[in-house]
Amino acid sequence: MGYAVALGGKGGTGKTTIAGLLIRYMLSHGMKPLLAIDADSNSNLNDVLGVPLAETLSEAREEMKTSVPVGMTKDVFMEMKLEQALVETEGFDLIAMGRPEGPGCYCAANNLLSSLIDRLIGNYPFIVIDNEAGMEHFSRLNQKDIDLLLLVSDPSRRGLSAACRIAELVKTLPMHVSQILLVINQVREEPASWPEGVYRIFGKEKVVSIPADPLISKFDLEGKPTMLLPDDSLVVKACEGLFDKIFRNGPE
């Protein structure tokens, strides 16, 4: 793996929008080919990126239980479904994990998927993983080698508390994370200071604010991918500044 970025945080904080703008930035700075992984059970990274989504890996996992053709092994079937689920576009590819597991045993399917995804990731020098809300993927150690973890919150105490809990959890797990940043999104008025606990866990220099941008709601209502926000929009300018600092001595 070359350079992997993961995003986490409470739902509704604009995490997927930040993920899309990060992908936009990385592509514009030559960081490709890039694999975008939508690990959120409520898959909508494709909407932010403006690409169609054929199917998710969870759908393939469901099919494996009942629909493997006669004469085809489960390994070959899952590899075929993985290729079908991969959305290939100019500069980046996208794959979506889909909804959580239903009733029944998924051990074989999950082990196969994990192996196939590991192989897939090896083909890309740049990876962006948009995680579902909460701590599930981190506590299950689905991602063990992360160069940059962006924990996204809104200015609410609940959002900040969720980000702090994830940061503390990650530090206790046997996984390598080179850098963790807290991105406080949708800030309408910058406070004089964020809660002391936030600075204690992240460090003052690792806390970044992104202003609220009415264009995001406008694009959402009109069904426009937020990846196409104009360069002079508030959120794009703020994210560009953040990503410039991150990658100043980064993988380029």
Side-chain angles (χ1 to χ4, degrees), residues 184 187-194 199 207-211:
I184 306 177
V187 176
R188 299 189 182 280
E189 186 175 346
E190 186 84 19
S193 177
W194 297 107
Y199 294 131
V207 178
V208 182
S209 298
I210 301 293

Side-chain angles (χ1 to χ4, degrees), residues 91-145:
F92 75 94
D93 296 339
L94 168 68
I95 197 154
M97 301 301 295
R99 66 185 182 281
E101 299 152 2
C105 179
Y106 285 85
C107 295
N110 284 339
N111 288 338
L112 274 173
L113 273 179
S114 178
S115 175
L116 289 169
I117 290 171
D118 283 346
R119 282 168 45 196
L120 178 67
I121 285 175
N123 297 327
Y124 297 85
F126 302 101
I127 316 288
V128 174
I129 308 159
D130 182 22
N131 286 291
E132 64 184 342
M135 300 181 280
E136 189 70 14
H137 282 277
F138 300 106
S139 61
R140 287 186 177 182
L141 295 180
N142 287 5
Q143 293 143 24
K144 299 180 184 178
D145 191 9

Side-chain angles (χ1 to χ4, degrees), residues 57-227:
L57 293 184
S58 66
E59 292 168 346
R61 185 181 54 202
E62 290 278 355
E63 287 184 45
M64 192 190 100
K65 295 173 70 178
T66 58
S67 305
V68 178
V70 176
M72 180 181 288
T73 66
K74 291 180 178 180
D75 300 61
V76 171
F77 175 79
M78 290 301 287
E79 189 157 3
M80 177 188 72
K81 299 302 289 185
L82 180 72
E83 291 176 0
Q84 291 175 355
L86 187 68
V87 179
E88 298 178 317
T89 70
E90 182 64 35
F92 75 94
D93 296 339
L94 168 68
I95 197 154
M97 301 301 295
R99 66 185 182 281
E101 299 152 2
C105 179
Y106 285 85
C107 295
N110 284 339
N111 288 338
L112 274 173
L113 273 179
S114 178
S115 175
L116 289 169
I117 290 171
D118 283 346
R119 282 168 45 196
L120 178 67
I121 285 175
N123 297 327
Y124 297 85
F126 302 101
I127 316 288
V128 174
I129 308 159
D130 182 22
N131 286 291
E132 64 184 342
M135 300 181 280
E136 189 70 14
H137 282 277
F138 300 106
S139 61
R140 287 186 177 182
L141 295 180
N142 287 5
Q143 293 143 24
K144 299 180 184 178
D145 191 9
I146 300 296
D147 294 286
L148 172 65
L149 173 59
L150 295 178
L151 295 178
V152 182
S153 175
D154 55 22
S156 71
R157 185 165 292 275
R158 283 197 304 164
L160 294 171
S161 295
C164 289
R165 285 197 302 271
I166 295 173
E168 289 184 311
L169 171 69
V170 167
K171 291 173 184 177
T172 68
L173 296 174
M175 60 189 297
H176 174 72
V177 180
S178 298
Q179 183 178 191
I180 302 177
L181 297 181
L182 173 62
V183 179
I184 306 177
N185 194 28
Q186 305 171 7
V187 176
R188 299 189 182 280
E189 186 175 346
E190 186 84 19
S193 177
W194 297 107
E196 183 58 35
V198 170
Y199 294 131
R200 176 176 52 81
I201 290 170
F202 289 94
K204 189 167 291 189
E205 72 285 356
K206 300 293 185 181
V207 178
V208 182
S209 298
I210 301 293
D213 191 335
L215 272 182
I216 293 177
S217 296
K218 184 174 186 293
F219 268 53
D220 184 52
L221 287 172
E222 295 174 356
K224 295 179 181 177
T226 48
M227 193 176 182

